[in-house]
Amino acid sequence: MSNIIETHNLTKRYRDFTAVNKLNMHVKKGQVYGFLGPNGAGKSTTMKMFLGLTRPSSGSFQIKGRSYPKDRMKILRETGAFIESPAFYGNLTGEENLDIIRRILGLPKSSIKDALELTGLYEFRKRTAGKYSLGMKQRLGLAEALLGRPPLLILDEPTNGLDPAGIHEIRTLIRSLPQKYNCTVLVSSHLLSEIELMADDIGILNHGRLLFEGTLPELKEQAAQMGYPTDNLEDTFLAMIQEDNLKRGDKR
Amino acid sequence: MILALEMKKTKRTGLIPAFLAGALAASAFPVLNIAFRTELFTSQDLPPVDILLQGNWDMLATFHSFLAILGACILYHTEFANRAIEKLYMLPVSQGKVFFCKNLLLLLLFLPVFLIEDGFLLFCARHWFPGKDPGLEILLQNTAFSIAAILPVLLLSTLIASLAKNMWVSLGIGVVCMFMGQMTVSYEAVFSKVYTFCLPYRCLLSSSAWEDIFPILGVCAAESVLLGAVKIFLLKIRRTPV
């Protein structure tokens, strides 16, 4: 299976702090890739680099065979993104917000209804986004990312601020996207339990370094080999992170 | 297309009512000024248009500068308030184009402002100087000149507003710059001839010679190009919105 995203020693440094350290990740086409790591692991920084919101200090990456910064505009045209928290015009309605993006992307008008229905916002389309609840704002952010059904979706903690029913709904939606719309999803979270329910492949990041990349069964296998608990994946993840933190502490 | 989007983004922001209110407030000033000090104005032996512009233009220019700052602040506040600008950075759209279209939009909004003011000045000329030429041609020439003079102010105001996430910061900087212009405009120093916020205080009278006007237009053009280049340079070196 070909990779839609490939990074080669991708690094981002902020003065004396390294947010992402020689990252080599591979996101397969048509899969949901769960990007897992504790807060501050470098997940958002990596995603921001993919979108050209921050420049890599060294290394490179390719998206659909296109490289940054040469093909940034082409990459953005085919990538739907939701980073950190929803971004919208509070003075415009949900529908008007999507219309701004639709016009920039040159999509048909029907794409707005499609995205609103997909995220359950259709009945609230005429309400100004500033008056939306936190969950509705989150859904609007997702609708913006899903507009036009892009071949690649980059979602940074998309279920933040949603109620349990909303979390379930969005998880189900993300899980179904590759089959329904033939797209690839890169989704980040700091909760393994969440990623476990959505992702085909997992990448575990800690302090900017990729500790593991592979499928869930592969993670279990590796954990067993290394003597980590395997009954509960949350414990596996925590043990992995803890050991890496201890190693880093030793190095210091 | 970007200009249409910028227009759409101003919905429910109060930008158009602010410009309309600004135009009416600015236009009311010459009427009230001449109404309360009729003798002072009508006793002068000058063309009515010159009397009216000389007597009121400083205040009108202050209104123009303040409207430019206010407009720039409103436009960028809508971008920053709910992080909409960050979404814009994730879309295949040139940030430079967005910046210049915001300026074009503000410039277009200034056109009715100037025309409303011209209407009120014409009313003053006809009402208080009956039988004399109201100087419509000069007023229209002054409008064209004022559009050129306000352009660098718009570019500087939007540049400041685009760099400060907090609207009060850009508004504060803009107002300080505006008062600096107002205070220094009457000096003979080079600074008051080239300072961006001094330019809107210049106006075109029937006695104005083209050799006096062209250097001012040259300064306006040079500053506009320079400020545009600064924005493009900043966009190149700074990837994130702020």
Side-chain angles (χ1 to χ4, degrees):
Chain A
M1 194 178 283
S2 65
N3 294 324
I4 195 162
I5 302 179
E6 271 186 18
T7 70
H8 311 281
N9 291 324
L10 191 64
T11 302
K12 179 67 190 179
R13 276 182 227 98
Y14 295 101
R15 291 183 187 161
D16 57 344
F17 170 69
T18 306
V20 179
N21 195 0
K22 293 181 179 171
L23 182 73
N24 290 297
M25 67 184 280
H26 310 85
V27 180
K28 290 180 201 134
K29 199 179 173 190
Q31 302 268 295
V32 176
Y33 186 102
F35 206 24
L36 196 66
N39 291 330
K43 305 182 297 288
S44 299
T45 307
T46 306
M47 290 176 154
K48 281 181 181 174
M49 282 193 275
F50 291 158
L51 295 165
L53 293 175
T54 184
R55 285 197 178 99
S57 305
S58 62
S60 63
F61 67 86
Q62 286 192 320
I63 294 181
K64 282 188 88 182
R66 295 186 172 120
S67 57
Y68 172 85
K70 200 178 76 169
D71 303 316
R72 182 172 180 254
M73 285 298 178
K74 282 180 191 161
I75 292 172
L76 292 180
R77 194 165 284 284
E78 295 183 344
T79 308
F82 175 91
I83 298 288
E84 284 173 347
S85 54
F88 55 89
Y89 294 98
N91 55 307
L92 301 183
T93 64
E95 196 174 35
E96 288 164 348
N97 266 285
L98 294 180
D99 192 47
I100 299 265
I101 300 168
R102 178 193 72 81
R103 290 210 214 175
I104 291 173
L105 295 171
L107 299 168
K109 276 191 174 175
S110 58
S111 60
I112 296 177
K113 193 180 177 205
D114 181 46
L116 286 168
E117 281 177 343
L118 215 57
T119 50
L121 268 184
Y122 188 72
E123 59 177 307
F124 307 107
R125 67 190 187 281
K126 300 283 182 202
R127 192 184 291 181
T128 51
K131 287 179 184 161
Y132 277 2
S133 68
L134 186 63
M136 284 156 79
K137 285 174 185 168
Q138 199 79 359
R139 284 165 191 271
L140 178 62
L142 275 172
E144 288 172 353
L146 289 166
L147 199 71
R149 302 180 183 184
L152 175 65
L153 273 169
I154 295 179
L155 308 174
D156 188 12
E157 306 195 2
T159 54
N160 269 0
L162 293 177
D163 57 23
I167 291 174
H168 177 76
E169 203 181 313
I170 296 302
R171 266 186 207 153
T172 313
L173 171 69
I174 292 172
R175 177 69 268 180
S176 68
L177 286 171
Q179 285 82 42
K180 268 191 191 168
Y181 307 132
N182 191 29
C183 67
T184 309
V185 185
L186 170 63
V187 57
S188 82
S189 176
H190 52 268
L191 303 170
L192 181 61
S193 53
E194 187 169 273
I195 291 295
E196 204 181 342
L197 296 167
M198 291 190 278
D200 302 298
D201 284 334
I202 295 175
I204 297 180
L205 200 68
N206 190 39
H207 291 291
R209 292 193 315 117
L210 196 63
L211 302 183
F212 170 84
E213 188 177 56
T215 60
L216 268 170
E218 283 168 359
L219 175 63
K220 280 184 184 170
E221 198 182 315
Q222 189 175 322
Q225 281 172 8
M226 299 182 82
Y228 298 140
T230 52
D231 299 339
N232 183 335
L233 280 172
E234 200 77 48
D235 292 339
T236 312
F237 169 62
L238 288 171
M240 208 174 235
I241 298 293
Q242 206 171 6
E243 185 168 324
D244 183 59
N245 287 345
L246 283 171
K247 274 185 199 163
R248 286 173 54 83
D250 286 347
K251 276 183 193 170
R252 281 173 196 167
Chain B
M1 194 261 293
I2 305 288
L3 182 66
L5 289 183
E6 288 307 319
M7 194 73 189
K8 187 167 184 162
K9 285 183 203 169
T10 64
K11 251 185 170 180
R12 305 179 198 95
T13 57
L15 181 75
I16 293 170
F19 266 72
L20 187 65
L24 292 174
S27 305
F29 180 77
V31 179
L32 294 173
N33 198 7
I34 197 169
F36 285 107
R37 303 192 296 170
T38 313
E39 187 63 32
L40 186 74
F41 282 90
T42 51
S43 62
Q44 294 179 53
D45 190 23
L46 285 168
V49 69
D50 286 8
I51 297 169
L52 287 167
L53 287 174
Q54 277 175 343
N56 299 297
W57 192 253
D58 280 1
M59 184 54 91
L60 294 183
T62 304
F63 268 105
H64 298 157
S65 297
F66 188 62
L67 266 184
I69 297 162
L70 203 71
C73 287
I74 291 174
L75 286 185
Y76 271 99
H77 177 67
T78 54
E79 297 287 357
F80 285 121
N82 290 291
R83 301 172 59 245
I85 197 159
E86 290 177 33
K87 182 71 201 171
L88 218 55
Y89 271 71
M90 293 180 224
L91 293 167
V93 61
S94 153
Q95 296 305 314
K97 267 189 198 169
V98 170
F99 175 79
F100 289 115
C101 282
K102 281 188 193 298
N103 278 285
L104 182 58
L105 174 66
L106 289 175
L107 199 63
L108 290 175
L109 284 174
F110 259 106
L111 195 62
V113 171
F114 290 136
L115 292 176
I116 291 170
E117 287 170 4
D118 286 349
F120 276 76
L121 287 169
L122 271 179
F123 163 77
C124 292
R126 285 190 192 281
H127 189 266
W128 278 284
F129 302 94
K132 287 189 178 176
D133 176 20
L136 176 65
E137 198 183 325
I138 295 294
L139 279 176
L140 291 176
Q141 281 176 7
N142 184 52
T143 294
F145 175 75
S146 302
I147 287 173
I150 203 73
L151 184 60
V153 176
L154 285 176
L155 282 158
L156 182 58
S157 303
T158 43
L159 180 65
I160 295 167
S162 71
L163 295 174
K165 211 172 186 174
N166 187 330
M167 186 187 72
W168 297 107
V169 172
S170 39
L171 188 63
I173 295 171
V175 169
V176 169
C177 289
M178 182 186 85
F179 283 129
M180 245 170 78
Q182 197 184 32
M183 284 186 300
T184 56
V185 69
S186 54
Y187 297 169
E188 276 305 308
V190 178
F191 177 79
S192 47
K193 289 191 172 62
V194 297
Y195 178 50
T196 312
F197 279 88
C198 283
L199 297 172
Y201 288 89
R202 316 278 174 211
C203 70
L204 203 145
L205 305 169
S206 57
S207 54
S208 296
W210 283 109
E211 38 288 18
D212 300 330
I213 298 301
F214 278 129
I216 303 170
L217 290 175
V219 171
C220 294
E223 285 192 19
S224 301
V225 171
L226 181 72
L227 290 164
V230 168
K231 181 65 192 178
I232 290 168
F233 173 71
L234 288 174
L235 284 169
K236 277 199 192 306
I237 60 161
R238 293 170 63 149
R239 178 56 64 207
T240 44
V242 280

